[in-house]
Amino acid sequence: MSVHPSSTPVPQTLPPPMNLPRLRELAERGEKIAVLTCYDATFARILDEQGVDVLLVGDSLGNVIQGESSTLPVTLEHMAYHTACVARGRRRAWLVADLPFGSYEASPAQALAASVALMRTGAQMVKLEGGGVTAETVHYLTQRGIPVCAHLGLTPQRVHALGGFRVQGRDAQAAEALRADAVALTQAGAAMLVLELVPSHLARTVGEACPGLITIGIGAGAGTSGQVLVLHDMLGLTPGKRPRFVRDFSRGIDGQPPLDVATAVRTYVQAVKAGSFPDEALHGY
Ligand code: KIV
């Protein structure tokens, strides 16, 4: 006698929840990690079901949710609200939340209070922007059990200091400074590093200089452990000229109709895993 009558769906074996050791294992064996930003429960469920490994509640929500022209107006309360929404929708994906501008720069103790607020709403790791100057804070947080993702290259919270959204680490001196920052942050305990808008050869050498560090690129070529894009950019929802590093995954190929959200996200995950995104000739610097 059949245990499962044909009308009863056979339960699928669900993949186990993602955690830091599993992410490290993927990075070590060269399986690319697919990351997308996410800001609410509905998208969290869709992204999770389509195999996205890491959901980043980015302060890019200032741009794509709030309609601001930068991430600077985003507050800790905004981040906590959206992190809680995403946490309710996810099941498997690892959840990273951004510490927003002004919530962590004053002292390690300020960063701890902000991180606790985000972890209480469901974040499993916090991300903060900046170089070696943040190493003390990274050490303070990781010693207290808070996993940290650092962020180097184009750091949008410093857009005014950097003079706009431009490629970072182009000349030898700037590249060396960025590599030294990455080493300092790794030694301080950062487990993951977002590299934004840097030349692909620099991103590769950062990975080589920091064994064990999970590197996630955005506009940083194909040599990182994984890739991240802003959800609204990869779904073709962001108006205006697309940055070169973005691919619109909602586009049907060869005149086919546009893809639904789940299919576009699945296509992104498959392209990252297969190494066909980013194509350095089209999306690299
Ligand atoms: O805020 C954000 O979405 C980010 C990604 C662009 C990496 O930091």
Side-chain angles (χ1 to χ4, degrees), residues 67-249:
E68 302 282 3
S69 59
S70 80
T71 60
L72 303 189
V74 177
T75 66
L76 186 59
E77 287 69 32
H78 298 150
M79 290 305 305
Y81 172 79
H82 286 278
T83 303
C85 295
V86 171
R88 287 192 283 269
R90 70 163 270 285
R91 196 201 59 78
R92 167 189 169 268
W94 178 250
L95 179 46
V96 184
D98 262 337
L99 290 172
F101 179 63
S103 73
Y104 62 95
E105 297 89 336
S107 66
Q110 185 205 25
L112 177 64
S115 303
V116 167
L118 295 183
M119 306 269 302
R120 284 211 170 115
T121 67
Q124 295 168 306
M125 175 179 243
V126 296
K127 177 164 84 59
L128 51 80
E129 298 184 7
V133 71
T134 61
E136 185 193 353
T137 295
V138 170
H139 185 251
Y140 189 86
L141 295 179
T142 53
Q143 287 298 300
R144 285 158 180 78
I146 310 229
V148 175
C149 175
H151 185 157
L152 292 174
L154 188 279
T155 43
Q157 291 175 12
R158 291 160 193 241
V159 61
H160 299 308
L162 295 173
F165 294 91
R166 52 183 72 192
V167 180
Q168 302 294 308
R170 271 201 197 274
D171 63 63
Q173 206 182 345
E176 195 39 57
L178 191 146
R179 246 188 319 270
D181 280 344
V183 170
L185 291 163
T186 308
Q187 286 169 351
M192 192 182 277
L193 170 68
V194 167
L195 284 167
E196 180 164 356
L197 222 48
V198 300
S200 53
H201 64 86
L202 173 56
R204 272 179 214 279
T205 61
V206 166
E208 286 157 14
C210 303
L213 180 69
I214 301 163
T215 55
I216 305 294
I218 173 163
T224 48
S225 323
Q227 297 292 325
V228 60
L229 283 177
V230 170
L231 178 64
H232 294 55
D233 290 350
M234 59 77 66
L235 290 177
L237 299 174
T238 310
K241 191 170 176 289
R242 265 202 313 271
R244 192 167 108 193
F245 61 80
V246 173
R247 186 191 293 176
D248 176 357
F249 283 88

Side-chain angles (χ1 to χ4, degrees), residues 248-271:
D248 176 357
F249 283 88
S250 75
R251 290 224 172 143
I253 298 162
D254 296 335
Q256 298 289 312
L259 302 179
D260 62 86
V261 170
T263 309
V265 170
R266 190 163 63 248
T267 307
Y268 167 75
V269 172
Q270 286 166 350

